[in-house]
Amino acid sequence: MEKRYFTEQEANELIPEIKRELGSLKRVTQAFSEHYEQLEQHKKTLLFRNKTKVDEDLLFKKESRMEFMELEAQTFIRNILSIGVKIVDIESGVVSFPSFVNGVEVELYWHETQEAVSFSREALQAHELTKEDDQV
């Protein structure tokens, strides 16, 4: 897939879509973690007693559900990546948009609590260099 670059406006216009996909991804990963913890607890309790058919069925159902959740998460990740956005941190809700500022490749960052993208340190430095050039 060809790398895509975004203007600040293009990135901001994609925020509602990214927000939905990232929110769904976070819900699935949280549910996966909870199921995993429950599964591990159940396995620990089985160490102290004989495993029954009911136990085996329950373990199979939980493991199957987790496999489905993993596929769901992969779908949300693919959806986000197909837009051209990079996932920085799922838990924190941070993504980045490749961009150019004054000919310098930079990243525009967005956190799920923000209304709009913000510039990376590199983008701000490139912007400051342009300001200095304008003043000369």
Side-chain angles (χ1 to χ4, degrees), residues 3-89:
K3 188 170 183 177
R4 180 176 175 193
Y5 294 93
F6 300 86
T7 64
E8 186 178 358
Q9 180 181 346
E10 290 169 334
N12 285 327
E13 288 171 358
L14 286 169
I15 287 176
E17 182 180 351
I18 300 292
K19 194 177 230 177
R20 278 191 306 276
E21 293 291 333
L22 190 60
S24 296
L25 175 58
K26 286 179 72 168
R27 281 189 295 281
V28 169
T29 56
Q30 179 63 35
F32 184 90
S33 294
E34 291 169 6
H35 266 71
Y36 179 79
E37 288 174 20
Q38 291 170 4
L39 182 64
E40 290 302 304
Q41 269 308 113
H42 192 76
K43 285 180 179 178
K44 285 179 186 176
T45 61
L46 293 178
L47 293 173
F48 302 106
R49 64 178 174 84
N50 292 330
K51 191 187 304 184
T52 65
K53 175 72 172 134
V54 172
D55 292 322
E56 289 177 9
D57 289 346
L58 183 62
L59 289 174
F60 177 77
K61 286 178 184 177
K62 284 195 178 292
E63 288 169 347
S64 296
R65 176 69 181 128
M66 288 175 65
E67 286 176 12
F68 180 74
M69 283 188 244
E70 184 177 2
L71 291 173
E72 275 184 302
Q74 289 173 1
T75 299
F76 293 125
I77 290 169
R78 273 193 303 276
N79 290 347
I80 293 168
L81 296 178
S82 71
I83 296 169
V85 175
K86 297 176 188 175
I87 300 170
V88 176
D89 188 333

Side-chain angles (χ1 to χ4, degrees), residues 91-118:
E91 236 177 86
S92 298
V94 179
V95 298
S96 70
F97 298 79
S99 185
F100 278 104
V101 173
N102 302 323
V104 177
E105 187 172 347
V106 296
E107 298 289 325
L108 302 173
Y109 287 90
W110 175 74
H111 184 274
E112 65 184 354
T113 62
Q114 296 175 317
E115 294 296 319
V117 296
S118 58

